[in-house]
Amino acid sequence: MAIAKFLSPAAASLPAAPHHVAIVMDGNGRWAHKRLLPRIAGHRQGVDSLRRCIRACVERGVRVLTVFAFSSENWSRPEEEVSGLMELMGKALANEVPELNRGGVAIRFVGERASLSPRMQQSLQQAEQATAANARLLLNVCFNYGGRWDIAQAAAQVAARGEPITEESLGRHTALAHVPDPDLLIRTGGEYRISNFLLWQCAYSELFFSDKLWPDFDEAALDEAIAAYGARERRFGKTSAQVAQTTG
Ligand code: IPE
Ligand code: IPE
Ligand code: MG
């Protein structure tokens, strides 16, 4: 996939828009529970919320959106929920590709694929191919993804090539090496943890925690996160005075 197009900001993007936003979409189960609905109803609502969020990110000039859809650890949920989530992913893939194409969104899946069903693997690949030419937003869907898995698989690739293990060589083989690290990492659902999301890549991401459950995370909530991001000073280990010198 030609990904160089996602390496620099779009001309139209607002100055305050983060280039890369990552989201732990948490709280679907509680959203359903509050309404006496089965958990899968919350996940279904979560797909609607993601559709809205993608559109809002495109409008705000975000170029890369990376979402946590299913973690390596989520396999340990009840079988009924896991199979429901797999089915939902299959359906969403079948339904959403035309909308992604209309919005200029390229989709890419990030995570361990070998343990997914052959049918699911094929659906992921088809969705990637069908949207590969789009250039407004790259949507990375982390599916069967874990930050520790990512670091370990990168190390295994480096070792297999007989290259020395350095930050540069490891980083080059991590699953999100095709995009710059997230600028803003949002977690919804009121939990203050990373839950094995982008452990390598979030080293210098600005963190924003929202109490809203993922299905309730709307445009206003996204704007609040982006505004908070805009008010942060990113120092990357330097002093404030140094940062003022380079940006002023
Ligand atoms: C996040 O919502 C979606 C997945 C993990 C697949 P949850 O299902 O974790 O929702 P809560 O945290 O139980 O409310
Ligand atoms: C993180 O949420 C994974 C996804 C959103 C896909 P979890 O609900 O699995 O996280 P924990 O278990 O509360 O840490
Ligand atoms: Mg949760």
Side-chain angles (χ1 to χ4, degrees):
M1 186 199 272
I3 44 79
K5 59 197 176 194
F6 294 109
L7 289 175
S8 55
S13 70
L14 304 167
H19 181 87
H20 182 176
V21 174
I23 308 184
V24 179
M25 308 182 291
D26 194 25
N28 296 346
R30 279 164 284 166
W31 184 93
H33 185 76
K34 279 203 319 198
R35 290 163 178 78
L36 307 177
L37 293 169
R39 291 179 59 86
I40 196 68
H43 296 311
R44 250 184 252 122
Q45 201 67 29
V47 175
D48 291 347
S49 190
L50 177 56
R51 194 185 302 116
R52 176 173 61 190
C53 183
I54 293 168
R55 209 178 301 131
C57 282
V58 168
E59 286 166 7
R60 284 152 184 76
V62 172
R63 301 300 318 286
V64 181
L65 174 65
T66 299
V67 295
F68 207 4
F70 190 84
S71 77
S72 319
E73 289 73 27
N74 288 148
W75 292 109
S76 54
R77 293 193 175 193
E79 202 281 321
E80 190 192 349
E81 181 165 348
V82 172
S83 57
L85 281 165
M86 293 295 148
E87 199 183 316
L88 186 61
M89 176 55 103
K91 277 194 191 142
L93 283 175
N95 293 337
E96 301 296 331
V97 165
E99 166 89 6
L100 293 173
N101 279 334
R102 270 195 297 278
V105 179
I107 193 168
R108 194 159 161 149
F109 294 90
V110 175
E112 201 266 323
R113 294 195 195 197
S115 49
L116 302 174
S117 72
R119 200 166 148 199
M120 178 66 82
Q121 292 185 41
Q122 200 186 13
S123 306
L124 302 187
Q125 209 182 353
Q126 279 171 352
E128 287 179 336
Q129 283 167 356
T131 61
N134 297 331
R136 284 193 82 179
L137 178 92
L138 175 63
L139 172 68
N140 295 305
V141 177
C142 294
F143 192 69
N144 194 19
Y145 176 88
R148 289 178 174 174
W149 164 83
D150 194 359
I151 294 168
Q153 68 79 27
Q157 285 194 59
V158 174
R161 287 159 190 257
E163 292 173 22
I165 296 200
T166 62
E167 286 190 24
E168 194 278 325
S169 69
L170 267 185
R172 208 160 10 91
H173 291 93
T174 51
L176 281 182
H178 56 288
V179 287
D181 287 344
D183 299 293
L184 169 63
L185 191 151
I186 300 170
R187 181 173 185 140
T188 64
E191 309 291 357
Y192 305 132
R193 53 179 174 258
I194 299 291
S195 298
N196 200 18
F197 195 29
L198 306 168
L199 299 182
W200 178 273
Q201 298 86 348
C202 75
Y204 269 103
S205 304
E206 295 297 329
L207 307 180
F208 183 88
F209 297 96
S210 167
D211 286 336
K212 281 200 185 290
L213 303 173
W214 173 247
D216 296 326
F217 191 83
D218 56 10
E219 289 89 347
L222 178 67
D223 284 337
E224 196 192 328
I226 292 178
Y229 166 82
R232 305 266 176 96
E233 181 184 60
R234 303 185 76 188
R235 290 194 287 277
F236 298 98
K238 297 184 176 173
T239 65
S240 256
Q242 286 175 301
V243 174
Q245 222 165 37
T246 49
T247 56

